[in-house]
Amino acid sequence: MTKTYVITGGTDGIGAAVARALFWRGDHVIVIGTDPKKGDRLIQEASSAPGSAAFVPADLSLMSSTKRTVSEVIEAYPQIDGLVMCARYFRTYRSVTSEGFEDNFALFYLSRVLFSYGLLDALERADNPVIVNVSGPGHETPIDWEDLQSARQYDGVKAMFMTGRFNDLLGVTFAKRHGEGPVRYVLFHPGTTSTSFAGEFDAPTAAYIEQQKRLAKPAADVVPPIVRLLDDPPKEPLSAFNMYTELSVRSSLFSPGSAARLADITAELLEHVAK
């Protein structure tokens, strides 16, 4: 039976590789990204596959755009079997969106909050639904509660890792709120992978990225463990994996108290975003 999956950041890297695997085996994939040309190429490729693909253009660094996109998706697809969140964009320099959020914080964290909860009803209608948040769980970067959006002293790598911590806590809160329901929440670490490395880099960072591209494994290598999680979600409400290796979600990095604190702050921030 054909299943329906939503992939954010689905036109490049890991997202595109997972999309291809799914439509070539016969599933329907809703790909969300910023580049219509890349989206069209995927749709054209899917036209020769047993499955199918649809492209939804969206700027997920803007919460108003993210909310509209979520509404469009659930209107068109009242039942969704899985959500895979891959969208991320690295900047060496700090950037603030028109809505006032640090760009990395908005795209890599806030948009994932809105998709996780916004697609919940559609996911709950599926037989074995799962959310796979490709976020790099388990990193020990400390959270600066007085500067969640890295305004004081911005470091792109640190900001990215700290935002990954926020996704860990998002998983904790989601599981606490909805763990008795059918949707499983999985935090996934792909390891060093040669993706598109989308971003804006200074010269030293750009040189380092090129080195990483040569050394990293291809995005296709990350597809099997993600598809495995989509096909056979863990029984626990929340779990975390580094490729095939399960990580503990019982350490202080997944503190329920910190998760509740972040959830309250997040709700207040999103309350003021235009619908």
Side-chain angles (χ1 to χ4, degrees):
M1 184 177 69
T2 299
K3 292 188 174 183
T4 299
Y5 296 96
V6 175
I7 304 178
T8 70
T11 57
D12 288 294
I14 294 171
V18 173
R20 289 187 175 96
L22 293 174
F23 64 62
W24 275 108
R25 74 175 192 177
D27 293 317
H28 181 65
V29 186
I30 302 101
V31 174
I32 299 170
T34 58
D35 191 331
K37 291 183 180 179
K38 292 179 179 178
D40 288 343
R41 283 200 291 269
L42 276 175
I43 291 174
Q44 185 175 1
E45 182 179 340
S47 67
S48 302
S52 55
F55 173 67
V56 178
D59 181 356
L60 301 186
S61 69
L62 296 176
M63 298 306 98
S64 53
S65 172
T66 302
K67 287 183 175 181
R68 286 194 300 269
T69 304
V70 168
S71 296
E72 291 173 12
V73 169
I74 59 177
E75 183 177 355
Y77 304 96
Q79 178 176 307
I80 295 168
D81 293 276
L83 166 64
V84 182
M85 296 186 288
C86 300
R88 188 169 71 179
Y89 190 91
F90 179 88
R91 281 185 170 87
T92 303
Y93 305 102
R94 189 174 188 271
S95 177
V96 177
T97 71
S98 60
E99 295 172 337
F101 297 121
E102 189 269 316
D103 188 87
N104 179 71
F105 180 81
L107 176 62
F108 190 24
Y109 171 60
L110 292 181
S111 76
R112 299 188 185 211
V113 172
L114 294 179
F115 265 91
S116 296
Y117 292 109
L119 297 186
L120 179 61
D121 287 348
L123 286 160
E124 288 182 329
R125 295 188 181 100
D127 290 334
N128 206 17
V130 61
I131 296 172
V132 179
N133 188 339
V134 183
S135 56
H139 202 276
E140 295 186 357
T141 299
I143 294 175
D144 184 347
W145 290 101
E146 303 304 317
D147 189 23
L148 295 181
Q149 299 186 56
S150 306
R152 293 177 184 168
Q153 188 173 4
Y154 182 80
D155 177 276
V157 173
K158 182 179 178 181
M160 181 180 66
F161 284 141
M162 188 164 68
T163 312
R165 288 289 315 281
F166 302 157
N167 279 289
D168 290 351
L169 298 179
L170 164 59
V172 173
T173 299
F174 186 96
K176 181 178 180 180
R177 293 177 179 176
H178 304 289
E180 294 183 0
V183 182
R184 306 296 86 180
Y185 205 101
V186 183
L187 301 162
F188 183 81
H189 198 317
T192 304
T193 306
S194 183
T195 67
S196 65
F197 287 96
E200 297 173 9
F201 312 104
D202 59 17
T205 305
Y208 175 75
I209 291 298
E210 288 305 312
Q211 180 187 43
Q212 289 295 100
K213 286 183 178 180
R214 292 191 294 270
L215 298 175
K217 62 181 174 295
D221 287 0
V222 184
V223 172
I226 291 180
V227 171
R228 180 184 73 126
L229 292 167
L230 295 175
D231 289 344
D232 187 20
K235 292 181 174 58
E236 299 79 11
L238 174 67
S239 56
F241 289 83
N242 185 329
M243 293 291 282
Y244 292 99
T245 303
E246 187 165 7
L247 308 174
S248 172
V249 293
R250 315 223 177 263
S251 72
S252 60
L253 297 178
F254 301 87
S255 162
S258 295
R261 182 179 183 181
L262 181 63
D264 288 344
I265 295 170
T266 302
E268 186 175 350
L269 289 172
L270 291 173
E271 184 179 353
H272 304 291
V273 177
K275 295 182 180 181

